[in-house]
Amino acid sequence: MQQQPNKLRPFFENLNFERDDNTMVINFGPQHPSAHGQLRLILELQGEQVVKAHPDIGYLHRGIEKMAENMIYNEFLPTTDRMDYIASTSNNYAFALAVERLIGLEVPRRAQVIRTMLLELNRIISHLFFLATHALDVGAMSIFLYAFREREYAMDLMEDYCGARLTHSAVRIGGVPLDLPEGWLTKLTDFIDRLPEQIKLYEDLLTENRIWKMRLEDVGIVTPEQALEWGCTGVMLRGSGIKYDVRKEEPYELYGELDFDIPVSDRCDSYGRYRLYMEEMKQSVRILRQLIGMYAGTESQLMAHAPQYISAPKEEIMTQNYALMQHFVLVTQGMRPPKGTVYAPTESPKGELGFWIRSEGEPYAYRLKARAPSFFHTGILQDILPGTYIPDVVTIIGSTNIVFGEVDR
């Protein structure tokens, strides 16, 4: 039988599989489990070394800032949970603080104590999640299980207070919705008594572990100049030797009255940032101990008294006609803050989280912008990844501690 000519042969003969520059472009994510949400990282490789990196964002985009401009202020507050969903209360609080400064509200003392407790408990929850997932990305399995164990105990405390474990909505504009449940402070005390021993366990497993140090030391160098140029905050800034924390520089709630330190490292690498997260958890324990002592001496009021903006207590709504009418108007039509512009920065577990609001006196924000730390810490990847290798990419992304809910707003 006569063999038929291969019509594809001329095509194959013209293919050239060799390139002069010998580079390759790959996608790291958005499906990669180490991509922290929906990060698509376009890497240009020379062998296994990164030559160029381009973070491509937008896959998770939900238009939260535009949603805020089409919701009344109280209606938008639960939506903030969906930004940094690892530390929801920090988002709730940052938005509530911005609105309170816009309308000039003073929050009752007991509400301030409870809010600060929840913020620091959230910080511990977020840092434990960072430690667990960062270690797992690098290849340490046991620490993932141990850190999640303590995180579950902390989330039990959040659930006891607000009924939710992930999306809390535990803060209100003007205060907090609930007082601490009976026995909650005892459970909190037990938790912070146990936590330092567990942090020591984490450190014993990791800090001097030769594999951990090989993977983190001198990897992901962020110089002080780079940190400032890219707008880094939180551990990403303090890990480069710059001592800046919003809780100290622009105190809010009770941070101006509390005694705590701001850990700083001049290592500028992933290992230095890891050490800072461990130290920050210890400082949060120190803060919570002081807050437990402050709670007993406060009055029972939980919400600010401002009928124009805040609903009356439930007892008054159920018994007084005017309070009921005012509540109905606030729920259906929303508050009307004065015209003006405000920006309120806070120190979230990942860095400076702030909301900028422009009000035209309507129940909706005319413009709202969120200053989220993960957005800036994603951008710096294009500056610090070139020159590293593929295994280092996983380590560096983990050490930046980004969450894409607050990147793709």
Side-chain angles (χ1 to χ4, degrees):
M1 185 176 179
Q2 187 177 4
Q3 187 175 3
Q4 295 294 323
N6 189 342
K7 297 179 180 179
L8 294 177
R9 182 172 295 168
F11 173 75
F12 285 120
E13 289 175 351
N14 293 328
L15 280 180
N16 181 10
F17 289 96
E18 296 294 330
R19 291 181 57 180
D20 294 334
D21 57 6
N22 197 31
T23 61
M24 178 173 61
V25 177
I26 66 168
N27 283 309
F28 184 98
Q31 288 80 21
H32 196 286
S34 299
H36 287 249
Q38 292 290 309
L39 168 63
R40 179 194 179 204
L41 195 59
I42 305 169
L43 300 176
E44 185 176 334
L45 304 177
Q46 183 86 37
E48 289 193 14
Q49 189 173 38
V50 178
V51 178
K52 190 180 295 184
H54 174 69
D56 184 17
I57 65 176
Y59 291 88
L60 199 64
H61 186 62
R62 291 166 292 180
I64 286 180
E65 291 173 341
K66 283 301 171 188
M67 290 169 64
E69 295 167 12
N70 290 277
M71 292 180 174
I72 61 177
Y73 289 95
N74 283 317
E75 188 181 14
F76 176 67
L77 193 140
T79 309
T80 60
D81 284 329
R82 278 75 183 169
M83 291 177 58
D84 178 7
Y85 40 80
I86 307 303
S88 300
T89 297
S90 62
N91 310 324
N92 303 153
Y93 175 76
F95 174 70
L97 179 64
V99 178
E100 288 161 5
R101 290 186 178 176
L102 182 65
I103 59 184
L105 276 186
E106 184 175 348
V107 177
R109 175 81 175 181
R110 175 163 290 195
Q112 289 184 334
V113 174
I114 295 173
R115 281 171 151 195
T116 313
M117 282 182 179
L118 297 178
L119 289 172
E120 290 307 309
L121 190 59
N122 246 227
R123 195 178 309 279
I124 292 172
I125 290 172
S126 178
H127 285 6
L128 288 172
F129 186 90
F130 156 79
L131 178 65
T133 54
H134 183 35
L136 188 65
D137 288 347
V138 173
M141 182 70 186
S142 297
I143 200 71
F144 172 83
L145 300 173
Y146 295 153
F148 258 65
R149 176 186 59 197
E150 273 64 61
R151 182 172 175 267
E152 285 296 309
Y153 293 137
M155 291 173 71
D156 287 344
L157 287 165
M158 289 301 306
E159 186 178 19
D160 287 346
Y161 176 73
C162 65
R165 299 177 72 81
L166 192 68
T167 51
H168 302 144
S169 298
V171 173
R172 296 290 185 273
I173 297 170
V176 290
L178 302 164
D179 203 351
L180 297 180
E182 185 177 351
W184 195 86
L185 286 178
T186 303
K187 293 179 181 178
L188 176 62
T189 303
D190 291 342
F191 172 70
I192 61 177
D193 284 344
R194 292 195 312 267
L195 186 60
E197 296 178 7
Q198 302 307 319
I199 294 174
K200 183 179 184 303
L201 171 63
Y202 310 151
E203 292 176 327
D204 290 344
L205 285 169
L206 292 180
T207 302
E208 296 302 325
N209 184 299
R210 63 184 182 87
I211 301 174
W212 182 252
K213 295 178 78 171
M214 286 170 61
R215 293 297 304 273
L216 270 68
E217 285 187 325
D218 299 322
V219 173
I221 299 292
V222 179
T223 65
E225 294 75 22
Q226 285 176 312
L228 293 173
E229 287 172 2
W230 282 96
C232 293
T233 51
V235 170
M236 284 293 289
L237 182 65
R238 296 189 288 272
S240 296
I242 300 174
K243 190 174 183 178
Y244 179 85
D245 190 305
V246 179
R247 294 174 296 173
K248 288 287 189 181
E249 302 299 326
E250 300 180 49
Y252 51 91
E253 291 307 321
L254 299 179
Y255 286 113
E257 303 176 26
L258 296 167
D259 181 25
F260 63 101
D261 298 323
I262 305 300
V264 182
S265 171
D266 58 3
R267 292 185 59 99
C268 302
D269 61 0
S270 298
Y271 187 77
R273 293 191 283 273
Y274 148 74
R275 296 296 300 270
L276 288 187
Y277 278 108
M278 307 301 280
E279 291 301 319
E280 286 201 357
M281 283 193 284
K282 297 174 186 176
Q283 294 301 318
S284 291
V285 169
R286 183 177 170 189
I287 290 171
L288 285 168
R289 291 193 193 281
Q290 296 173 62
L291 290 168
I292 291 171
M294 291 181 175
Y295 176 82
T298 57
E299 297 180 359
S300 60
Q301 187 179 356
L302 299 174
M303 293 290 290
H305 179 72
Q308 186 179 357
Y309 304 116
I310 306 296
S311 292
K314 185 175 180 180
E315 293 77 11
E316 295 183 22
I317 294 173
M318 301 297 289
T319 57
Q320 297 179 19
N321 190 38
Y322 177 76
L324 176 62
M325 290 190 295
Q326 170 238 349
H327 173 69
F328 178 80
V329 171
L330 287 174
V331 170
T332 57
Q333 299 180 22
M335 68 176 78
R336 292 178 177 269
K339 292 183 179 181
T341 302
V342 68
Y343 173 72
T346 64
E347 186 71 26
S348 86
K350 294 171 178 60
E352 183 178 327
L353 172 65
F355 283 87
W356 180 88
I357 300 173
R358 178 180 172 186
S359 169
E360 291 293 333
E362 299 295 324
Y364 314 88
Y366 180 76
R367 283 288 181 271
L368 181 140
K369 295 292 180 184
R371 193 267 180 219
S374 293
F375 180 80
F376 298 88
H377 302 161
T378 301
I380 199 175
L381 291 174
Q382 62 187 281
D383 207 6
I384 62 177
L385 287 180
T388 63
Y389 292 87
I390 291 178
D392 298 331
V393 172
V394 177
T395 299
I396 294 168
I397 293 175
S399 78
T400 59
N401 196 15
I402 55 177
V403 166
F404 258 69
E406 66 176 20
V407 176
D408 291 346
R409 297 183 297 280

